[in-house]
Amino acid sequence: MHLRVTFVAAARSSSLLAERFEDDRPLDQAGWDEVQRAAPELVPLAAAELRYCSPTPRSRATGDALGFAPLAQPALRDCDMGRWRGFTLGEAMAREPSAVDAWLADPRSVPHGGESLTSFISRVGGWLDTRPADDGSRIVAVAEPSVVRAALVYALKAQPSTYWNIDVRPLSTITLTGINGRWNLRLEGVPQYA
């Protein structure tokens, strides 16, 4: 019995340099345009038996625009950034440079008063490990790029610092196959749901 969980990174709500921690903004025009261009390849994922999304406006809008009608999952929310919520990395660095350095260097640190990187990765991994384990179940989850990164680190049992070396672009997909605690990364071209 195994699962097939395909994560779809939400479309953009701002340019990369304007990206904010725990950004609750909806999709911007560029994001909507990206969804329309990617739809032919991603719409087949709607055939998944279970469809989820992060509770953010851009994740929900991405999933809805692709016809997934996803169910929001609180465990797929972005990392709790405490008092840095709504800041760009540059803004946080300008206000608290040593705290940002500590946060980037130690995955257990919480200088912002929110959630540590290790806790965030564990939360996302816990969600992954508690999906229904019917043989061959297909699941799709639209989530913030940070959540997709956390899922990859967890599934591959990589060091938490690996999180900083993973680049997840808007509307990119990754598929994990396996069951509770035993996951494999599956790289493929166009999704094969039909």
Side-chain angles (χ1 to χ4, degrees):
M1 297 197 345
H2 70 282
L3 297 172
R4 179 183 175 113
V5 182
T6 300
F7 283 92
V8 178
R12 76 176 72 216
S13 61
S14 62
S15 71
L16 186 59
L17 293 176
E19 192 93 3
R20 298 185 175 279
F21 294 126
E22 291 186 86
D23 194 351
D24 281 340
R25 290 179 290 174
L27 294 179
D28 63 9
Q29 189 58 51
W32 283 109
D33 293 345
E34 287 174 346
V35 171
Q36 296 309 309
R37 284 191 302 275
E41 290 182 22
L42 297 176
V43 165
L45 291 171
E49 288 92 358
L50 299 170
R51 296 170 305 278
Y52 301 111
C53 69
S54 295
T56 61
R58 78 179 188 165
S59 291
R60 183 178 293 282
T62 300
D64 287 343
L66 293 171
F68 296 173
L71 176 63
Q73 296 286 285
L76 293 179
R77 71 190 181 283
D78 208 345
C79 186
D80 178 355
M81 296 305 291
R83 69 178 172 276
W84 295 350
R85 185 176 198 273
F87 290 3
T88 64
L89 179 59
E91 290 168 346
M93 183 64 91
R95 293 174 190 211
E96 302 180 49
S98 61
V100 172
D101 287 343
W103 174 65
L104 293 171
D106 182 359
R108 296 166 303 196
S109 70
V110 288
H112 45 63
E115 182 177 31
S116 72
L117 183 60
T118 54
S119 294
F120 173 50
I121 292 167
S122 293
R123 171 171 45 85
V124 173
W127 177 86
L128 187 60
D129 282 347
T130 58
R131 295 309 85 212
D134 293 334
D135 191 27
S137 288
R138 295 173 299 172
I139 297 171
V140 65
V142 180
E144 299 302 308
S146 60
V147 173
V148 178
R149 290 162 63 189
L152 277 169
V153 170
Y154 180 82
L156 297 175
K157 297 179 177 155
Q159 293 296 318
S161 60
T162 305
Y163 176 89
W164 304 117
N165 301 102
I166 300 171
D167 183 21
V168 177
R169 312 285 289 159
L171 296 169
S172 59
T173 64
I174 63 111
T175 300
L176 301 173
T177 60
I179 57 171
N180 182 356
R182 293 192 335 245
W183 296 99
N184 298 305
L185 174 61
R186 181 178 183 140
L187 300 176
E188 55 195 354
V190 178
Q192 300 299 314
Y193 294 123

mmCIF file of all heavy atoms in Angstrom, residues 14-50:
data_model
loop_
_atom_site.group_PDB
_atom_site.id
_atom_site.type_symbol
_atom_site.label_atom_id
_atom_site.label_comp_id
_atom_site.label_asym_id
_atom_site.label_seq_id
_atom_site.Cartn_x
_atom_site.Cartn_y
_atom_site.Cartn_z
ATOM 1 N N SER A 14 3.472 38.059 -5.558
ATOM 2 C CA SER A 14 4.367 39.213 -5.630
ATOM 3 C C SER A 14 5.652 38.773 -6.310
ATOM 4 O O SER A 14 5.897 37.582 -6.471
ATOM 5 C CB SER A 14 4.673 39.746 -4.234
ATOM 6 O OG SER A 14 5.332 38.758 -3.464
ATOM 7 N N SER A 15 6.490 39.738 -6.659
ATOM 8 C CA SER A 15 7.785 39.375 -7.224
ATOM 9 C C SER A 15 8.631 38.724 -6.136
ATOM 10 O O SER A 15 8.374 38.906 -4.941
ATOM 11 C CB SER A 15 8.496 40.612 -7.773
ATOM 12 O OG SER A 15 8.913 41.433 -6.698
ATOM 13 N N LEU A 16 9.642 37.986 -6.529
ATOM 14 C CA LEU A 16 10.488 37.288 -5.574
ATOM 15 C C LEU A 16 11.096 38.241 -4.546
ATOM 16 O O LEU A 16 11.121 37.940 -3.355
ATOM 17 C CB LEU A 16 11.591 36.515 -6.304
ATOM 18 C CG LEU A 16 12.477 35.624 -5.445
ATOM 19 C CD1 LEU A 16 11.648 34.580 -4.711
ATOM 20 C CD2 LEU A 16 13.528 34.945 -6.290
ATOM 21 N N LEU A 17 11.551 39.398 -4.974
ATOM 22 C CA LEU A 17 12.163 40.345 -4.044
ATOM 23 C C LEU A 17 11.159 40.969 -3.086
ATOM 24 O O LEU A 17 11.533 41.452 -2.026
ATOM 25 C CB LEU A 17 12.914 41.438 -4.810
ATOM 26 C CG LEU A 17 14.149 40.964 -5.569
ATOM 27 C CD1 LEU A 17 14.758 42.112 -6.361
ATOM 28 C CD2 LEU A 17 15.175 40.365 -4.618
ATOM 29 N N ALA A 18 9.878 40.955 -3.451
ATOM 30 C CA ALA A 18 8.842 41.517 -2.585
ATOM 31 C C ALA A 18 8.151 40.437 -1.765
ATOM 32 O O ALA A 18 7.186 40.721 -1.052
ATOM 33 C CB ALA A 18 7.821 42.280 -3.427
ATOM 34 N N GLU A 19 8.624 39.207 -1.844
ATOM 35 C CA GLU A 19 8.040 38.086 -1.101
ATOM 36 C C GLU A 19 8.134 38.357 0.395
ATOM 37 O O GLU A 19 9.186 38.714 0.912
ATOM 38 C CB GLU A 19 8.796 36.812 -1.473
ATOM 39 C CG GLU A 19 8.145 35.569 -1.008
ATOM 40 C CD GLU A 19 7.227 34.940 -2.042
ATOM 41 O OE1 GLU A 19 7.120 35.434 -3.165
ATOM 42 O OE2 GLU A 19 6.623 33.942 -1.689
ATOM 43 N N ARG A 20 7.026 38.159 1.088
ATOM 44 C CA ARG A 20 6.955 38.446 2.520
ATOM 45 C C ARG A 20 6.717 37.172 3.311
ATOM 46 O O ARG A 20 6.065 36.250 2.835
ATOM 47 C CB ARG A 20 5.842 39.455 2.793
ATOM 48 C CG ARG A 20 6.113 40.777 2.110
ATOM 49 C CD ARG A 20 5.099 41.849 2.462
ATOM 50 N NE ARG A 20 5.509 43.113 1.856
ATOM 51 C CZ ARG A 20 6.418 43.928 2.366
ATOM 52 N NH1 ARG A 20 7.000 43.639 3.507
ATOM 53 N NH2 ARG A 20 6.754 45.036 1.747
ATOM 54 N N PHE A 21 7.240 37.144 4.541
ATOM 55 C CA PHE A 21 7.007 36.003 5.422
ATOM 56 C C PHE A 21 5.512 35.919 5.719
ATOM 57 O O PHE A 21 4.881 36.915 6.066
ATOM 58 C CB PHE A 21 7.772 36.161 6.735
ATOM 59 C CG PHE A 21 9.266 36.127 6.590
ATOM 60 C CD1 PHE A 21 10.040 37.157 7.096
ATOM 61 C CD2 PHE A 21 9.905 35.069 5.978
ATOM 62 C CE1 PHE A 21 11.421 37.134 6.995
ATOM 63 C CE2 PHE A 21 11.292 35.035 5.861
ATOM 64 C CZ PHE A 21 12.046 36.065 6.377
ATOM 65 N N GLU A 22 4.958 34.720 5.607
ATOM 66 C CA GLU A 22 3.544 34.457 5.857
ATOM 67 C C GLU A 22 2.660 35.437 5.095
ATOM 68 O O GLU A 22 1.771 36.074 5.637
ATOM 69 C CB GLU A 22 3.231 34.540 7.347
ATOM 70 C CG GLU A 22 3.825 33.422 8.167
ATOM 71 C CD GLU A 22 3.365 33.483 9.599
ATOM 72 O OE1 GLU A 22 2.289 32.933 9.894
ATOM 73 O OE2 GLU A 22 4.068 34.096 10.416
ATOM 74 N N ASP A 23 2.898 35.543 3.823
ATOM 75 C CA ASP A 23 2.197 36.493 2.958
ATOM 76 C C ASP A 23 0.754 36.037 2.730
ATOM 77 O O ASP A 23 0.526 34.957 2.197
ATOM 78 C CB ASP A 23 2.943 36.590 1.629
ATOM 79 C CG ASP A 23 2.521 37.773 0.794
ATOM 80 O OD1 ASP A 23 1.534 38.439 1.157
ATOM 81 O OD2 ASP A 23 3.184 38.033 -0.215
ATOM 82 N N ASP A 24 -0.200 36.854 3.123
ATOM 83 C CA ASP A 24 -1.613 36.526 2.952
ATOM 84 C C ASP A 24 -2.245 37.219 1.755
ATOM 85 O O ASP A 24 -3.457 37.247 1.629
ATOM 86 C CB ASP A 24 -2.403 36.894 4.212
ATOM 87 C CG ASP A 24 -2.239 35.867 5.318
ATOM 88 O OD1 ASP A 24 -1.860 34.723 5.015
ATOM 89 O OD2 ASP A 24 -2.499 36.210 6.471
ATOM 90 N N ARG A 25 -1.424 37.779 0.882
ATOM 91 C CA ARG A 25 -1.986 38.474 -0.273
ATOM 92 C C ARG A 25 -2.499 37.463 -1.302
ATOM 93 O O ARG A 25 -1.941 36.380 -1.440
ATOM 94 C CB ARG A 25 -0.935 39.385 -0.907
ATOM 95 C CG ARG A 25 -0.604 40.580 -0.014
ATOM 96 C CD ARG A 25 0.434 41.459 -0.636
ATOM 97 N NE ARG A 25 1.713 40.745 -0.633
ATOM 98 C CZ ARG A 25 2.804 41.193 -1.214
ATOM 99 N NH1 ARG A 25 2.795 42.330 -1.860
ATOM 100 N NH2 ARG A 25 3.920 40.506 -1.166
ATOM 101 N N PRO A 26 -3.528 37.845 -2.049
ATOM 102 C CA PRO A 26 -4.028 36.957 -3.106
ATOM 103 C C PRO A 26 -3.076 36.960 -4.297
ATOM 104 O O PRO A 26 -2.101 37.711 -4.327
ATOM 105 C CB PRO A 26 -5.377 37.594 -3.469
ATOM 106 C CG PRO A 26 -5.210 39.033 -3.135
ATOM 107 C CD PRO A 26 -4.281 39.076 -1.932
ATOM 108 N N LEU A 27 -3.399 36.141 -5.290
ATOM 109 C CA LEU A 27 -2.593 36.108 -6.503
ATOM 110 C C LEU A 27 -2.557 37.486 -7.152
ATOM 111 O O LEU A 27 -3.561 38.183 -7.178
ATOM 112 C CB LEU A 27 -3.182 35.128 -7.522
ATOM 113 C CG LEU A 27 -3.167 33.651 -7.169
ATOM 114 C CD1 LEU A 27 -3.812 32.850 -8.288
ATOM 115 C CD2 LEU A 27 -1.767 33.168 -6.907
ATOM 116 N N ASP A 28 -1.396 37.868 -7.666
ATOM 117 C CA ASP A 28 -1.314 39.095 -8.454
ATOM 118 C C ASP A 28 -1.575 38.726 -9.921
ATOM 119 O O ASP A 28 -1.790 37.555 -10.251
ATOM 120 C CB ASP A 28 0.019 39.815 -8.253
ATOM 121 C CG ASP A 28 1.235 39.022 -8.721
ATOM 122 O OD1 ASP A 28 1.065 37.964 -9.371
ATOM 123 O OD2 ASP A 28 2.357 39.465 -8.445
ATOM 124 N N GLN A 29 -1.585 39.722 -10.791
ATOM 125 C CA GLN A 29 -1.889 39.453 -12.205
ATOM 126 C C GLN A 29 -0.887 38.475 -12.815
ATOM 127 O O GLN A 29 -1.253 37.585 -13.580
ATOM 128 C CB GLN A 29 -1.927 40.745 -13.017
ATOM 129 C CG GLN A 29 -2.439 40.537 -14.437
ATOM 130 C CD GLN A 29 -3.827 39.932 -14.480
ATOM 131 O OE1 GLN A 29 -4.743 40.426 -13.814
ATOM 132 N NE2 GLN A 29 -4.006 38.846 -15.228
ATOM 133 N N ALA A 30 0.383 38.620 -12.453
ATOM 134 C CA ALA A 30 1.392 37.687 -12.970
ATOM 135 C C ALA A 30 1.084 36.261 -12.515
ATOM 136 O O ALA A 30 1.267 35.305 -13.277
ATOM 137 C CB ALA A 30 2.786 38.106 -12.526
ATOM 138 N N GLY A 31 0.605 36.113 -11.288
ATOM 139 C CA GLY A 31 0.229 34.795 -10.782
ATOM 140 C C GLY A 31 -0.928 34.185 -11.559
ATOM 141 O O GLY A 31 -0.901 33.006 -11.922
ATOM 142 N N TRP A 32 -1.957 34.988 -11.812
ATOM 143 C CA TRP A 32 -3.093 34.502 -12.605
ATOM 144 C C TRP A 32 -2.640 34.103 -14.011
ATOM 145 O O TRP A 32 -3.067 33.074 -14.533
ATOM 146 C CB TRP A 32 -4.186 35.570 -12.699
ATOM 147 C CG TRP A 32 -4.991 35.693 -11.450
ATOM 148 C CD1 TRP A 32 -4.972 36.729 -10.558
ATOM 149 C CD2 TRP A 32 -5.912 34.737 -10.917
ATOM 150 N NE1 TRP A 32 -5.822 36.467 -9.508
ATOM 151 C CE2 TRP A 32 -6.421 35.254 -9.706
ATOM 152 C CE3 TRP A 32 -6.355 33.489 -11.342
ATOM 153 C CZ2 TRP A 32 -7.357 34.582 -8.919
ATOM 154 C CZ3 TRP A 32 -7.286 32.810 -10.552
ATOM 155 C CH2 TRP A 32 -7.772 33.359 -9.370
ATOM 156 N N ASP A 33 -1.781 34.913 -14.601
ATOM 157 C CA ASP A 33 -1.279 34.602 -15.941
ATOM 158 C C ASP A 33 -0.493 33.288 -15.931
ATOM 159 O O ASP A 33 -0.621 32.463 -16.844
ATOM 160 C CB ASP A 33 -0.403 35.737 -16.467
ATOM 161 C CG ASP A 33 -1.186 37.022 -16.721
ATOM 162 O OD1 ASP A 33 -2.439 36.982 -16.778
ATOM 163 O OD2 ASP A 33 -0.532 38.081 -16.840
ATOM 164 N N GLU A 34 0.317 33.078 -14.886
ATOM 165 C CA GLU A 34 1.087 31.833 -14.764
ATOM 166 C C GLU A 34 0.162 30.623 -14.663
ATOM 167 O O GLU A 34 0.414 29.591 -15.269
ATOM 168 C CB GLU A 34 1.980 31.875 -13.521
ATOM 169 C CG GLU A 34 3.180 32.775 -13.632
ATOM 170 C CD GLU A 34 3.947 32.873 -12.316
ATOM 171 O OE1 GLU A 34 3.415 32.464 -11.262
ATOM 172 O OE2 GLU A 34 5.075 33.373 -12.356
ATOM 173 N N VAL A 35 -0.901 30.758 -13.873
ATOM 174 C CA VAL A 35 -1.846 29.647 -13.721
ATOM 175 C C VAL A 35 -2.471 29.303 -15.066
ATOM 176 O O VAL A 35 -2.572 28.119 -15.428
ATOM 177 C CB VAL A 35 -2.943 29.974 -12.680
ATOM 178 C CG1 VAL A 35 -4.040 28.917 -12.692
ATOM 179 C CG2 VAL A 35 -2.345 30.079 -11.280
ATOM 180 N N GLN A 36 -2.854 30.307 -15.817
ATOM 181 C CA GLN A 36 -3.471 30.051 -17.129
ATOM 182 C C GLN A 36 -2.505 29.343 -18.072
ATOM 183 O O GLN A 36 -2.904 28.434 -18.799
ATOM 184 C CB GLN A 36 -3.962 31.367 -17.751
ATOM 185 C CG GLN A 36 -5.071 32.031 -16.953
ATOM 186 C CD GLN A 36 -6.216 31.084 -16.633
ATOM 187 O OE1 GLN A 36 -6.747 30.416 -17.513
ATOM 188 N NE2 GLN A 36 -6.580 30.997 -15.368
ATOM 189 N N ARG A 37 -1.236 29.731 -18.049
ATOM 190 C CA ARG A 37 -0.245 29.081 -18.912
ATOM 191 C C ARG A 37 0.039 27.646 -18.467
ATOM 192 O O ARG A 37 0.273 26.766 -19.294
ATOM 193 C CB ARG A 37 1.054 29.884 -18.941
ATOM 194 C CG ARG A 37 0.979 31.138 -19.800
ATOM 195 C CD ARG A 37 2.339 31.762 -20.031
ATOM 196 N NE ARG A 37 3.037 32.135 -18.808
ATOM 197 C CZ ARG A 37 2.877 33.290 -18.146
ATOM 198 N NH1 ARG A 37 2.038 34.193 -18.595
ATOM 199 N NH2 ARG A 37 3.565 33.542 -17.055
ATOM 200 N N ALA A 38 0.044 27.406 -17.167
ATOM 201 C CA ALA A 38 0.384 26.080 -16.643
ATOM 202 C C ALA A 38 -0.809 25.132 -16.596
ATOM 203 O O ALA A 38 -0.624 23.914 -16.475
ATOM 204 C CB ALA A 38 0.973 26.222 -15.241
ATOM 205 N N ALA A 39 -2.009 25.661 -16.699
ATOM 206 C CA ALA A 39 -3.218 24.849 -16.526
ATOM 207 C C ALA A 39 -3.248 23.585 -17.388
ATOM 208 O O ALA A 39 -3.596 22.511 -16.875
ATOM 209 C CB ALA A 39 -4.459 25.700 -16.760
ATOM 210 N N PRO A 40 -2.899 23.633 -18.672
ATOM 211 C CA PRO A 40 -2.987 22.397 -19.467
ATOM 212 C C PRO A 40 -2.182 21.231 -18.882
ATOM 213 O O PRO A 40 -2.597 20.082 -18.988
ATOM 214 C CB PRO A 40 -2.440 22.817 -20.847
ATOM 215 C CG PRO A 40 -2.730 24.280 -20.923
ATOM 216 C CD PRO A 40 -2.518 24.782 -19.508
ATOM 217 N N GLU A 41 -1.052 21.534 -18.258
ATOM 218 C CA GLU A 41 -0.243 20.463 -17.671
ATOM 219 C C GLU A 41 -0.715 20.068 -16.278
ATOM 220 O O GLU A 41 -0.540 18.929 -15.868
ATOM 221 C CB GLU A 41 1.221 20.887 -17.601
ATOM 222 C CG GLU A 41 1.883 20.974 -18.953
ATOM 223 C CD GLU A 41 3.348 21.346 -18.839
ATOM 224 O OE1 GLU A 41 3.951 21.132 -17.766
ATOM 225 O OE2 GLU A 41 3.885 21.870 -19.821
ATOM 226 N N LEU A 42 -1.304 21.022 -15.529
ATOM 227 C CA LEU A 42 -1.648 20.763 -14.130
ATOM 228 C C LEU A 42 -3.085 20.314 -13.900
ATOM 229 O O LEU A 42 -3.368 19.636 -12.916
ATOM 230 C CB LEU A 42 -1.358 22.013 -13.298
ATOM 231 C CG LEU A 42 0.108 22.442 -13.255
ATOM 232 C CD1 LEU A 42 0.259 23.741 -12.478
ATOM 233 C CD2 LEU A 42 0.979 21.352 -12.670
ATOM 234 N N VAL A 43 -4.003 20.676 -14.783
ATOM 235 C CA VAL A 43 -5.412 20.320 -14.608
ATOM 236 C C VAL A 43 -5.617 18.816 -14.436
ATOM 237 O O VAL A 43 -6.448 18.396 -13.632
ATOM 238 C CB VAL A 43 -6.280 20.911 -15.744
ATOM 239 C CG1 VAL A 43 -7.658 20.267 -15.792
ATOM 240 C CG2 VAL A 43 -6.405 22.423 -15.566
ATOM 241 N N PRO A 44 -4.869 17.949 -15.130
ATOM 242 C CA PRO A 44 -5.064 16.509 -14.920
ATOM 243 C C PRO A 44 -4.867 16.055 -13.467
ATOM 244 O O PRO A 44 -5.389 15.012 -13.071
ATOM 245 C CB PRO A 44 -4.026 15.868 -15.847
ATOM 246 C CG PRO A 44 -3.844 16.872 -16.932
ATOM 247 C CD PRO A 44 -3.933 18.207 -16.238
ATOM 248 N N LEU A 45 -4.152 16.834 -12.668
ATOM 249 C CA LEU A 45 -3.977 16.467 -11.263
ATOM 250 C C LEU A 45 -5.296 16.491 -10.499
ATOM 251 O O LEU A 45 -5.406 15.912 -9.418
ATOM 252 C CB LEU A 45 -2.964 17.400 -10.593
ATOM 253 C CG LEU A 45 -1.515 17.248 -11.051
ATOM 254 C CD1 LEU A 45 -0.657 18.367 -10.475
ATOM 255 C CD2 LEU A 45 -0.958 15.897 -10.652
ATOM 256 N N ALA A 46 -6.308 17.162 -11.034
ATOM 257 C CA ALA A 46 -7.624 17.211 -10.377
ATOM 258 C C ALA A 46 -8.256 15.828 -10.271
ATOM 259 O O ALA A 46 -9.204 15.640 -9.506
ATOM 260 C CB ALA A 46 -8.549 18.171 -11.119
ATOM 261 N N ALA A 47 -7.727 14.852 -11.007
ATOM 262 C CA ALA A 47 -8.238 13.480 -10.921
ATOM 263 C C ALA A 47 -7.816 12.791 -9.625
ATOM 264 O O ALA A 47 -8.295 11.691 -9.330
ATOM 265 C CB ALA A 47 -7.758 12.672 -12.121
ATOM 266 N N ALA A 48 -6.950 13.419 -8.834
ATOM 267 C CA ALA A 48 -6.519 12.828 -7.567
ATOM 268 C C ALA A 48 -7.719 12.613 -6.651
ATOM 269 O O ALA A 48 -8.652 13.423 -6.626
ATOM 270 C CB ALA A 48 -5.494 13.735 -6.882
ATOM 271 N N GLU A 49 -7.695 11.526 -5.904
ATOM 272 C CA GLU A 49 -8.803 11.219 -5.008
ATOM 273 C C GLU A 49 -8.951 12.262 -3.899
ATOM 274 O O GLU A 49 -10.051 12.565 -3.460
ATOM 275 C CB GLU A 49 -8.611 9.833 -4.368
ATOM 276 C CG GLU A 49 -8.832 8.680 -5.319
ATOM 277 C CD GLU A 49 -7.553 8.223 -6.009
ATOM 278 O OE1 GLU A 49 -6.469 8.812 -5.787
ATOM 279 O OE2 GLU A 49 -7.639 7.265 -6.801
ATOM 280 N N LEU A 50 -7.819 12.799 -3.435
ATOM 281 C CA LEU A 50 -7.835 13.792 -2.358
ATOM 282 C C LEU A 50 -7.087 15.031 -2.824
ATOM 283 O O LEU A 50 -5.988 14.934 -3.365
ATOM 284 C CB LEU A 50 -7.183 13.219 -1.098
ATOM 285 C CG LEU A 50 -7.862 11.972 -0.522
ATOM 286 C CD1 LEU A 50 -7.012 11.347 0.571
ATOM 287 C CD2 LEU A 50 -9.243 12.319 0.019
#
